Amino acid sequence: MKQYLNKKSVSIFVICLFLMLLFFAFQISRRTKSVEKEKYTELLMYRKGEKPTNYTDLMAFINQRLQKELGASLQIQYLGWGEYDKKMSVITSSETNYDIAFASNYRTNAQKGIYYDLTTLAPKYAKETYENLNPYYIQGNTINGRLFALPTNANVYGQKRMAFEQELVERYQFDLSKVKELHDLEPFLSIIKEKEPHLTPINFGPETRVGQMDYVYNDQIPLGIDPSNYSFKIINPYQESEQMINDLTTMHRYYQKGYLNPNSAILENDIAVTEKGWFVRFPTQGPFDYGDMALSKKAGRPILSIPWSKPIIDNMQIFVSNFVISSGSKHPEKALEVLNLINTDKELLTTMVYGLENQGWEKKENNRIRILPSYHPSRAIGGAWSVGDNQTIYLDEEVTLEQIQTREESIIQAEVSPLLGFSFDATAVTREMLAVSNIMNQYLAPLHSGTISPEKTLPILNEKLEEAGLSIVQKEMQKQFDFFLSQEKGAFSE
């Protein structure tokens, strides 16, 4: 009996010892994992768009690369297309901490001190990305001699296009050579409305704009230059641009005839290019789109487009995809290193644009890739224009040497806006600009989508803008722009 008790005591002791060792091993393991986790600098990025359906798998790949190369990890939060500017305004005004963001109202926010000054940091911590940028990006994004963004090296010029479902163009034998202006679409829209009643003839969202304007700031401050007639005169297009007024009138007529979704002005998003259900849309294309190749790849079917404006290197295009670092970021250097890796690592960048390898794309010879039928933009971080250096990404095997040559030649031949590099100092008219912006936010989407009559609305709008002080802003802009032009560095030769 005593021997039995001794054996039982030994067994209990062994079990207790094992449990204690297991507990200590667990604690050590937990602490080790905690230390491993703590050694990575965690960064938060805000992006414009919809969260990928395979977000977890994509971020696992991205963070594995970032942790290995930089000792950093990244969390990406997405804010919808139609709500990004509004939500980022709340985030910045509430001083919510973040590190990297897709820039919203770049010039306005940069001048408010919301973004980190990258003038000396970018060439040091994002050296390769900075040196690979087309010089126009630096020129256009420099404000009072300071740089506050790391732009995406992509479509340095933009050209407004009218893009059509090729299948419908061929089915009804539409002659697109007859389309020069917005009003020329009417015969085609009428047929689509009658023959394809389930379709929305014109795909239009609250952020889509008609008319051709090169704005000093953005369309919320309706002052700029008419690119069809660069006269160096700052104008209000809703009062002085014949084309803008004609296009708005045409859109209202189209709206009344049912060619647009009746909720175009308030939709959170328009119909995605990947979805059928539309006939024509108005994208902006650039040199790295290789004609309609990029749009057709994204849609997963042939898209055919025609020009609606000339190719222009202007401030709006230079600002189209800027990444900024919050002035409140605790890790601005590491944030730049992350952006630099994204822009220089071919495999990483290609994965962010086309999804995981062998799911959205597969590697071919000579640094070329084949886009797989399974590719879908909803399973990628974002389009090439909004992610990283388009000269770094693996090239689609369908892009020809001739297309590459055309791309380079088109950049050289593109017209440069006289506004490029002009930084308006709004200090003297901040109150007026805020009042103007508040008014325009109420009218932009309803006017451009044709929801309201320009004939009735424009007189009211222009009167409100005058009361808000638009002419005061216009006068100050013209004075500063004239001075800019008079300087040797900013002089523009006709």
Side-chain angles (χ1 to χ4, degrees):
M1 183 73 175
K2 184 177 180 181
Q3 186 178 8
Y4 171 76
L5 288 174
N6 286 338
K7 288 182 178 180
K8 185 176 181 181
S9 298
V10 170
S11 298
I12 293 173
F13 172 78
V14 170
I15 292 172
C16 289
L17 180 62
F18 174 77
L19 290 175
M20 287 175 64
L21 291 172
L22 189 64
F23 173 77
F24 286 125
F26 172 76
Q27 291 296 319
I28 292 171
S29 174
R30 190 174 69 174
R31 287 173 186 170
T32 301
K33 289 179 179 179
S34 177
V35 170
E36 288 178 352
K37 183 178 180 181
E38 288 175 3
K39 75 179 180 180
Y40 299 127
T41 303
E42 297 184 358
L43 302 174
L44 172 62
M45 172 193 284
Y46 284 106
R47 282 191 58 90
K48 192 174 190 177
E50 303 303 320
K51 185 177 180 179
T53 55
N54 60 340
Y55 176 84
T56 302
D57 292 339
L58 279 171
M59 293 311 300
F61 174 86
I62 292 167
N63 281 321
Q64 184 179 33
R65 185 63 56 90
L66 294 180
Q67 289 165 4
K68 178 182 177 182
E69 300 294 332
L70 303 174
S73 65
L74 185 66
Q75 177 190 358
I76 301 178
Q77 289 192 14
Y78 285 81
L79 305 177
W81 293 103
E83 58 185 7
Y84 188 81
D85 289 344
K86 185 181 296 185
K87 287 195 173 182
M88 280 307 299
S89 178
V90 173
I91 288 169
T92 54
S93 62
S94 64
E95 299 184 355
T96 301
N97 290 329
Y98 70 92
D99 297 288
I100 306 169
F102 189 89
S104 171
N105 295 322
Y106 170 68
R107 272 200 171 147
T108 303
N109 287 330
Q111 291 179 343
K112 288 180 179 178
I114 289 173
Y115 303 143
Y116 219 101
D117 185 340
L118 305 180
T119 311
T120 57
L121 291 181
K124 182 177 180 180
Y125 294 98
K127 184 175 184 293
E128 297 86 357
T129 300
Y130 182 86
E131 292 178 349
N132 288 339
L133 282 171
N134 185 300
Y136 286 124
Y137 280 111
I138 305 298
Q139 180 183 343
N141 282 291
T142 298
I143 301 174
N144 299 325
R146 314 304 295 173
L147 181 68
F148 297 90
L150 194 65
T152 301
N153 197 40
N155 289 329
V156 67
Y157 73 73
Q159 182 180 39
K160 273 192 171 184
R161 312 278 296 187
M162 296 182 184
F164 304 85
E165 287 275 16
Q166 184 172 317
E167 177 189 352
L168 295 173
V169 172
E170 293 174 350
R171 181 185 307 172
Y172 296 105
Q173 299 181 341
F174 291 146
D175 183 1
L176 298 184
S177 67
K178 294 180 179 179
V179 180
K180 307 297 181 185
E181 299 290 344
L182 186 62
H183 60 78
D184 297 328
L185 288 174
E186 189 147 13
F188 306 149
L189 299 174
S190 177
I191 292 173
I192 293 296
K193 175 74 173 174
E194 178 187 354
K195 304 289 187 181
E196 308 284 344
H198 60 290
L199 297 181
T200 299
I202 300 178
N203 183 42
F204 207 93
E207 293 191 344
T208 311
R209 303 288 180 258
V210 298
Q212 313 293 338
M213 275 299 294
D214 184 3
Y215 293 104
V216 173
Y217 248 68
N218 52 43
D219 57 14
Q220 294 176 338
I221 308 295
L223 293 170
I225 290 177
D226 183 346
S228 66
N229 179 26
Y230 282 137
S231 63
F232 311 111
K233 180 185 177 185
I234 306 293
I235 67 169
N236 167 11
Y238 299 104
Q239 196 168 45
E240 303 173 73
S241 171
E242 183 178 347
Q243 183 182 44
M244 176 69 81
I245 295 171
N246 286 341
D247 282 354
L248 293 175
T249 302
T250 299
M251 287 301 293
H252 183 56
R253 185 171 70 253
Y254 287 170
Y255 179 86
Q256 290 178 312
K257 292 190 174 185
Y259 298 153
L260 293 95
N261 185 318
N263 296 317
S264 292
I266 58 175
L267 289 172
E268 185 170 310
N269 298 299
D270 55 5
I271 305 173
V273 70
T274 53
E275 301 175 25
K276 291 191 175 182
W278 56 273
F279 168 61
V280 63
R281 64 197 303 130
F282 306 129
T284 297
Q285 292 183 7
F288 282 94
D289 292 318
Y290 303 104
D292 296 324
M293 176 178 286
L295 196 60
S296 297
K297 286 281 185 183
K298 185 175 182 179
R301 59 191 185 280
I303 303 297
L304 184 64
S305 77
I306 57 175
W308 192 15
S309 74
K310 53 188 176 183
I312 300 174
I313 300 173
D314 61 12
N315 286 326
M316 294 300 290
Q317 190 61 30
I318 292 298
F319 297 160
V320 77
S321 179
N322 280 346
F323 283 95
V324 292
I325 296 174
S326 169
S327 58
S329 172
K330 297 179 181 178
H331 311 287
E333 295 87 358
K334 186 63 70 175
L336 279 171
E337 289 177 357
V338 166
L339 288 173
N340 188 59
L341 187 66
I342 290 171
N343 279 277
T344 56
D345 185 316
K346 286 182 177 294
E347 185 180 11
L348 176 61
L349 180 55
T350 302
T351 299
M352 292 178 73
V353 171
Y354 292 113
L356 295 169
E357 186 175 3
N358 296 322
Q359 293 183 21
W361 59 282
E362 64 180 8
K363 186 81 178 292
K364 308 299 285 186
E365 296 179 352
N366 302 319
N367 280 340
R368 293 291 190 115
I369 61 170
R370 183 171 77 90
I371 309 302
L372 299 174
S374 54
Y375 159 74
H376 195 279
S378 67
R379 293 189 289 274
I381 294 298
W385 67 273
S386 69
V387 177
D389 192 336
N390 282 215
Q391 292 188 109
T392 296
I393 195 170
Y394 285 133
L395 204 58
D396 190 320
E397 64 178 354
E398 294 183 19
V399 176
T400 66
L401 294 178
E402 182 181 0
Q403 285 176 314
I404 296 173
Q405 183 178 351
T406 299
R407 178 194 76 192
E408 296 306 306
E409 290 174 352
S410 69
I411 294 174
I412 296 172
Q413 295 167 1
E415 186 169 338
V416 181
S417 164
L419 285 173
L420 188 70
F422 170 52
S423 298
F424 176 61
D425 182 354
T427 304
V429 289
T430 302
R431 184 179 62 182
E432 289 84 357
M433 289 184 65
L434 179 59
V436 167
S437 178
N438 288 336
I439 291 169
M440 289 307 301
N441 281 335
Q442 300 172 39
Y443 284 92
L444 274 170
L447 261 179
H448 285 261
S449 64
T451 307
I452 56 180
S453 165
E455 183 180 0
K456 296 178 180 178
T457 304
L458 289 183
I460 298 171
L461 171 61
N462 285 319
E463 183 178 351
K464 288 185 176 182
L465 291 174
E466 180 62 29
E467 292 174 354
L470 184 68
S471 61
I472 298 173
V473 180
Q474 185 175 10
K475 184 178 179 180
E476 181 65 21
M477 272 187 182
Q478 189 68 61
K479 182 179 74 172
Q480 292 185 29
F481 184 49
D482 290 342
F483 178 77
F484 168 78
L485 292 173
S486 71
Q487 303 304 297
E488 182 178 353
K489 185 177 180 180
F492 180 78
S493 176
E494 291 184 293

